[in-house]
């Protein structure tokens, strides 16, 4: 038993315990509220929808507790059972230790260790989402999604890992600085590439239809200084009844995407308010701010990775033996990636808190642009009702996980 193994076990157990306690606390809090609709929600939600949202939250929460235990077991088995070194040696012996073959080894291993989570994805879509009437996907579409995203991951993953390995070969111990630059540039490129080229592989994105709604949205864009050609409608209804809207890209590559489900469920003034909120994200520079934050985070992670890869201690502790320091770089990447969640879990509340602040700012922007807080408030109420969102999450739970403030918090801020 060495220090690395002990730390791993400790972090693994800690995450399982904390996330389970958070789920249970949230569920108890919800049950305490579920006997009758809280006063502030009575104007817009009937008891049927409210009870349905309670059931939906309970179903998802139970599912995530089971999933957490399952994934921790798998991870424990992968790391402590010597599965990673076995797979690594097995593939490396037949493919070799060259840059491109090691990159392929890396992707093959990630593919294999990702397999156990697939049944959970299936269950979530075809059992839980289906039971609450959200699922619109078919097994065929689900499977083709999986194949497509696997293919895209390979297409992008193999060259990126190869580039990282080149950095190691060329720059020696300072490789992590170049590695950071490579990954960060890749991230920046993806912000543009993802909505332009990857989203259309899965969904149809079309400019909003001619008509009164378009006129209103155009007028709003004009008023707020946002170029209108980038308002798109996405066929989200192909997979799910959930509705949403988001802002992606930056500069002249920016896009606002409204789900067709959102357009179907909402009145024109509500949609206008949602658009105003999304334009707010653009105007207030939220994407560049988040990119800067993730740059700082990536840089510290790479510095850590650089330090860990300067000795064979980490890899040896997790049973990778008989390899040179250069051959150990891929095992270190693998260990870092599979165990990274145990550390990033504790950082996610920081990201969530910043994201929530951005939501408040975008809400304030929207209300100013609309000259009234009523449309956005009713749009948010509609969104929460249609999506069966949990209206009364435990404050600890929502501050840990929620990227958006709760409905109550947003309404309070608007008033
Ligand atoms: Zn937002």
């Amino acid at each position: 038993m060495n220090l690395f193994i002990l730390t791993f076990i400790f972090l693994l157990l800690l995450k399982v315990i904390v996330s389970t306690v958070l789920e249970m606390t949230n569920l108890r809090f919800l049950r305490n509220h579920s006997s009758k609709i809280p006063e502030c929600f009575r104007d817009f939600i009937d008891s049927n929808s409210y009870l349905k949202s309670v059931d939906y939250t309970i179903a998802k929460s139970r599912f995530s507790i089971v999933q957490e235990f399952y994934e921790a077991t798998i991870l424990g088995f992968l790391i402590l059972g010597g599965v990673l070194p076995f797979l690594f040696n097995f593939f490396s012996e037949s493919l070799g230790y060259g840059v491109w073959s090691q990159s392929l080894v890396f992707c093959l291993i990630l593919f294999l260790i990702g397999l156990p989570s697939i049944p959970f994805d299936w269950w979530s879509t075809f059992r839980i989402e289906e039971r609450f009437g959200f699922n619109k996907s078919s097994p065929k579409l689900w499977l083709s999604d999986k194949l497509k995203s696997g293919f895209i991951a390979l297409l992008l993953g193999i060259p990126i890992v190869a580039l990282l390995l080149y950095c190691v070969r060329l720059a020696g111990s300072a490789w992590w600085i170049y590695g950071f630059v490579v990954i960060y540039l890749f991230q920046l490129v993806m912000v543009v590439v993802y909505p332009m080229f990857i989203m259309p592989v899965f969904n149809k994105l079309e400019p909003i239809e001619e008509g009164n709604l378009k006129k209103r949205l155009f007028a709003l864009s004009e008023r707020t200084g946002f170029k209108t050609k980038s308002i798109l409608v996405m066929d989200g209804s192909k997979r799910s009844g959930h509705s949403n809207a988001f802002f992606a890209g930056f500069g002249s590559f920016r896009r606002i995407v409204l789900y067709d489900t959102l357009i179907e469920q909402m009145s024109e003034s509500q949609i206008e308010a949602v658009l105003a909120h999304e334009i707010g994200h653009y105007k207030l520079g939220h994407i560049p701010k988040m990119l800067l934050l993730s740059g700082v985070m990536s840089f510290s992670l790479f510095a850590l990775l650089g330090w860990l890869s300067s000795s064979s201690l980490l890899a040896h502790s997790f049973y990778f033996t008989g390899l040179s320091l250069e051959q150990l770089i891929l095992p270190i990447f693998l260990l870092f990636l599979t165990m990274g969640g145990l550390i990033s879990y504790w950082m996610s509340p920081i990201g969530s808190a910043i994201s929530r602040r951005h939501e408040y700012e975008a809400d304030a922007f929207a209300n100013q642009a609309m000259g009234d807080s009523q449309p956005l408030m009713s749009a948010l109420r509609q969104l929460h009702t249609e999506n069966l969102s949990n209206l009364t999450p435990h404050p600890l739970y929502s501050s840990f996980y929620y990227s958006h403030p709760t409905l109550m918090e947003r309404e309070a801020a608007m008033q």
Side-chain angles (χ1 to χ4, degrees):
M1 274 287 183
N2 61 61
L3 196 63
F4 279 115
I5 295 269
L6 284 175
T7 311
F8 169 73
I9 297 173
F10 173 74
L11 289 175
L12 186 70
L13 292 177
L14 189 67
K15 179 169 176 261
V16 171
I17 292 167
V18 169
S19 67
T20 308
V21 168
L22 279 172
E23 288 297 340
M24 305 282 234
T25 312
N26 197 43
L27 279 181
R28 197 170 336 110
F29 194 72
L30 177 71
R31 287 209 183 88
N32 290 344
H33 284 87
S34 65
S35 52
K36 61 180 178 26
I37 311 178
E39 196 75 52
C40 49
F41 303 131
R42 273 181 211 160
D43 310 339
F44 68 92
I45 192 164
D46 58 77
S47 68
N48 243 353
S49 307
Y50 181 70
L51 288 176
K52 211 173 155 193
S53 83
V54 170
D55 287 343
Y56 184 50
T57 307
I58 294 174
K60 280 201 303 183
S61 190
R62 279 184 184 152
F63 178 74
S64 94
I65 293 173
V66 175
Q67 191 173 20
E68 181 68 37
F69 273 86
Y70 174 78
E71 280 176 356
T73 311
I74 299 275
L75 184 59
F77 178 63
L78 280 178
I79 300 292
L80 304 174
V83 179
L84 282 184
F86 170 78
L87 291 175
F88 176 76
N89 291 332
F90 179 77
F91 287 125
S92 296
E93 268 157 30
S94 42
L95 293 166
Y97 290 92
V99 162
W100 287 91
S101 32
Q102 283 285 286
S103 183
L104 185 62
V105 167
F106 184 80
C107 293
L108 277 170
I109 296 178
L110 282 195
F111 166 74
L112 285 178
I113 65 179
L115 287 179
S117 69
I118 289 186
F120 274 79
D121 193 278
W122 190 90
W123 189 273
S124 158
T125 308
F126 294 105
R127 288 298 160 98
I128 298 178
E129 294 296 300
E130 181 81 38
R131 174 145 66 93
F132 290 91
F134 287 123
N135 178 42
K136 303 282 181 279
S137 183
S138 63
K140 205 175 129 194
L141 179 63
W142 181 83
L143 189 66
S144 97
D145 281 352
K146 287 271 166 281
L147 292 174
K148 278 186 202 166
S149 47
F151 182 71
I152 293 172
L154 274 182
L155 208 65
L156 297 171
I158 291 180
I160 278 292
V161 178
L163 253 168
L164 282 179
L165 293 172
Y166 270 118
C167 290
V168 176
R169 301 230 159 150
L170 297 176
S173 61
W175 76 268
W176 63 272
I177 301 175
Y178 298 90
F180 160 74
V181 173
V182 165
I183 293 295
Y184 196 56
L185 285 179
F186 174 71
Q187 228 181 326
L188 293 185
V189 169
M190 283 309 282
V191 172
V192 174
V193 166
Y194 185 78
M196 303 272 277
F197 300 105
I198 298 185
M199 253 161 48
V201 174
F202 298 94
N203 284 93
K204 230 175 20 213
L205 290 142
E206 283 173 335
I208 190 160
E209 245 175 61
E210 292 299 328
N212 200 41
L213 175 65
K214 183 180 172 179
K215 263 187 226 146
R216 280 182 79 157
L217 299 185
F218 264 59
L220 172 77
S221 308
E222 197 79 9
R223 235 173 33 238
T224 49
F226 185 82
K227 250 210 298 209
T228 40
K229 74 169 199 247
S230 35
I231 302 174
L232 299 171
V233 178
M234 187 176 101
D235 59 345
S237 59
K238 192 166 129 186
R239 294 190 183 79
S240 165
H242 281 298
S243 49
N244 203 355
F246 61 90
F247 176 79
F250 52 72
S252 49
F253 300 106
R254 63 179 186 265
R255 293 183 150 191
I256 282 182
V257 179
L258 305 172
Y259 281 40
D260 56 355
T261 36
L262 184 99
I263 293 187
E264 206 172 289
Q265 291 162 2
M266 287 193 177
S267 72
E268 287 185 0
S269 75
Q270 287 173 329
I271 300 170
E272 205 183 342
V274 170
L275 180 69
H277 170 98
E278 298 304 331
I279 292 176
H281 281 308
Y282 165 69
K283 280 281 175 185
L284 299 162
H286 288 158
I287 293 213
K289 281 179 190 165
M290 280 310 217
L291 281 172
L292 194 70
L293 176 77
S294 86
V296 173
M297 288 222 187
S298 302
F299 187 81
S300 13
L301 287 178
F302 266 94
L304 180 63
L305 198 51
W307 177 67
L308 288 174
S309 65
S310 63
S311 98
S312 53
L313 200 63
L314 175 81
H316 281 171
S317 307
F318 292 104
Y319 321 122
F320 287 93
T321 48
L323 295 160
S324 70
L325 199 54
E326 198 174 86
Q327 288 172 333
L328 279 176
I329 197 76
L330 202 76
I332 290 170
F333 283 175
L334 276 173
L335 289 168
F336 200 72
L337 211 67
T338 43
M339 300 192 287
L342 300 182
I343 296 164
S344 64
Y345 180 73
W346 304 100
M347 298 207 229
S348 65
I350 305 168
S352 305
I354 295 172
S355 162
R356 286 196 301 269
R357 209 182 63 207
H358 289 169
E359 292 308 319
Y360 284 127
E361 288 173 8
D363 282 352
F365 178 93
N367 292 336
Q368 201 161 28
M370 299 291 289
D372 180 9
S373 64
Q374 213 45 51
L376 184 61
M377 207 177 310
S378 86
L380 291 176
R381 289 175 166 185
Q382 182 79 2
L383 259 175
H384 281 75
T385 311
E386 295 282 354
N387 289 316
L388 297 179
S389 306
N390 180 9
L391 293 172
T392 51
H394 191 281
L396 194 61
Y397 187 88
S398 61
S399 58
F400 202 96
Y401 291 118
Y402 279 26
S403 61
H404 288 59
T406 65
L407 182 62
M408 237 196 273
E409 288 166 340
R410 290 173 88 168
E411 292 201 355
M414 282 186 222
Q415 276 153 358

